[in-house]
């Protein structure tokens, strides 16, 4: 279906008149000077654009080369440098082995200190004079206690040996 | 054998820029006449046509022959160049929208009876009435009646819509009819 866009003017008086006006009008040609000016500007545009295009292409190549070089360096750095291994920990968890200390000696050793720490100055009692009965085991007495304990153990071991020897003899004599 | 515009354009895009001169010779005269009728100055019209061809060369790769013919495409570039210059110089611009002087002719129905069986005297009076029209109305009449260009193409040139141009043509005809009846 034809629309107003496709309809051409009727061949009426107005159209005929317009065609007569066109025929009456002298044919105009574009002056040669205008043509020459246009062609001159076109050639100038071409001369400017050619080196500019080359410069742009060169810049792109250089940018790509630089990017490739950086990528290579990065890759080499990542692969060549060994990873820093974590040093194996030689430190073994220290297990504190408590010293075999007489519990009574330990307690007696700490008591005077605790007594001094816990008490505030206002609460501190007057120091009682030391007597024979209330003398606590000093540090110097600890080795003696240990030695006495060791002697007791030796005695026991000796006693056990005797018993064992006796048993063996009895067995052989059977 | 005359080479068509598409062949010449292909040669130019392939690198033979010297062929552009053939396009200028083919379309330059028509373009110059059209712009001169709008601008009113030959010197100004030549500048506009020069800029038109340079812009056309720059945009040649974007030209799409499926949308419009090369002549129509050139007219469009020329029109916009003329509009730009007129706006810069604060001259009355080519307003293709509502024209107050023609609004009063919009209400009447467009009948072509008055264009039939016209005497020579009436034709001469009509000729003078057309000369009194604004330049842009004369341009529209030229493109539509002289070049037999479809409204769709004219709308492409003038960056308008075919329906708006159709309405304007109706108003122009009504005005001419009124002028003709007034001068009887």
């Amino acid at each position: 279906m034809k629309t107003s866009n496709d309809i051409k003017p009727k061949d009426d008086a107005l159209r005929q008149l317009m065609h007569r006006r066109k025929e009456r009008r002298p044919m105009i040609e574009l002056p040669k000077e205008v043509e020459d000016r246009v062609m001159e500007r076109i050639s100038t545009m071409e001369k400017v654009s050619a080196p500019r295009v080359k410069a742009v292409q060169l810049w792109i190549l250089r940018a790509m080369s630089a990017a490739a070089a950086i990528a290579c360096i990065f890759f080499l750095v990542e692969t060549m440098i060994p990873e820093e291994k974590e040093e194996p920990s030689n430190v073994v968890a220290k297990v504190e082995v408590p010293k075999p200390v007489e519990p009574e000696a330990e307690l007696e050793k700490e008591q005077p200190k605790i007594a001094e720490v816990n008490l505030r100055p206002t609460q501190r009692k007057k120091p009682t004079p030391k007597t024979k009965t209330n003398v606590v085991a000093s540090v110097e007495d600890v080795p003696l206690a240990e030695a006495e304990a060791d002697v007791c153990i030796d005695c026991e071991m000796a006693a056990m040996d005797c018993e064992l020897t006796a048993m063996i003899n009895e067995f052989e004599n059977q | 054998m005359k080479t068509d515009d598409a062949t010449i354009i292909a040669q130019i895009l392939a690198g033979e820029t010297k062929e552009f001169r053939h396009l200028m010779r083919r379309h330059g005269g028509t373009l110059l006449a059209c712009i001169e009728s709008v601008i009113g100055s030959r010197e100004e019209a030549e500048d506009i046509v020069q800029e038109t061809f340079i812009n056309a060369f720059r945009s040649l790769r974007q030209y799409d022959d499926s949308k419009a013919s090369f002549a129509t495409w050139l007219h469009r570039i020329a029109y916009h160049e003329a509009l730009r210059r007129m706006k810069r110089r604060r001259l009355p611009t080519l307003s293709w929208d509502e024209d107050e002087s023609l609004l009063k002719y919009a209400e009447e129905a467009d009948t072509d009876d008055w264009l039939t069986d016209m005497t020579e005297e009436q034709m001469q009076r009509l000729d003078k009435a057309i000369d009194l029209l604004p330049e842009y109305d004369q341009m529209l009449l030229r493109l539509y009646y002289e070049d037999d260009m479809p409204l769709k193409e004219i709308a492409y040139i003038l960056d308008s819509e075919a329906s708006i141009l159709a309405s304007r043509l109706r108003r122009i005809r009504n005005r001419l009819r009124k002028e003709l009846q007034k001068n009887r």
Side-chain angles (χ1 to χ4, degrees), chain A residues 6-12 15 19, chain B residues 143-146 148-150 173:
Chain A
D6 306 319
I7 294 174
K8 291 196 173 180
K10 292 179 185 176
D11 193 16
D12 54 19
R15 186 170 181 272
H19 276 268
Chain B
L143 291 172
Y144 188 66
Y145 287 104
E146 287 186 17
D148 290 332
M149 197 177 283
R173 282 199 291 267

Side-chain angles (χ1 to χ4, degrees), chain B residues 88-100:
Chain B
R88 195 170 58 189
R89 296 183 186 180
R90 297 180 182 177
L91 292 175
T93 56
L94 301 175
S95 171
W96 294 95
D97 294 328
E98 299 297 322
D99 184 345
E100 290 182 2

Side-chain angles (χ1 to χ4, degrees), chain A residues 4-10 12-22 24-26 28-39 41-42 45-46, chain B residues 17 20-21 24-25 29 32-33 36 42 46 49-51 53-54 57-58 112 115 118 120 123 126-127 130-131 141-142 144-148 150-151 162:
Chain A
S4 60
N5 301 343
D6 306 319
I7 294 174
K8 291 196 173 180
K10 292 179 185 176
D12 54 19
L14 185 56
R15 186 170 181 272
Q16 291 171 13
L17 180 60
M18 293 303 292
H19 276 268
R20 278 167 61 174
R21 287 166 65 97
K22 183 180 179 181
R24 203 168 57 224
R25 203 178 300 119
I28 298 177
E29 285 187 1
L30 191 66
K32 197 175 182 305
E33 296 80 35
V34 176
E35 283 184 27
D36 294 339
R37 282 200 293 267
V38 172
M39 294 307 294
R41 283 184 64 177
I42 287 173
M45 280 160 50
E46 286 186 315
Chain B
T17 53
F20 194 75
R21 194 181 282 270
M24 281 197 288
R25 286 176 185 167
L32 184 60
E36 187 182 359
R42 171 63 74 95
E46 286 180 2
V49 169
Q50 178 181 320
E51 284 304 313
F53 278 117
I54 290 169
F57 178 81
R58 282 202 189 109
D112 296 335
L115 289 169
M118 287 184 76
E120 188 60 32
M123 293 280 273
L126 185 61
D127 196 4
I130 290 172
D131 287 335
L141 289 178
R142 284 185 61 177
Y144 188 66
Y145 287 104
E146 287 186 17
D147 299 338
D148 290 332
L151 282 177

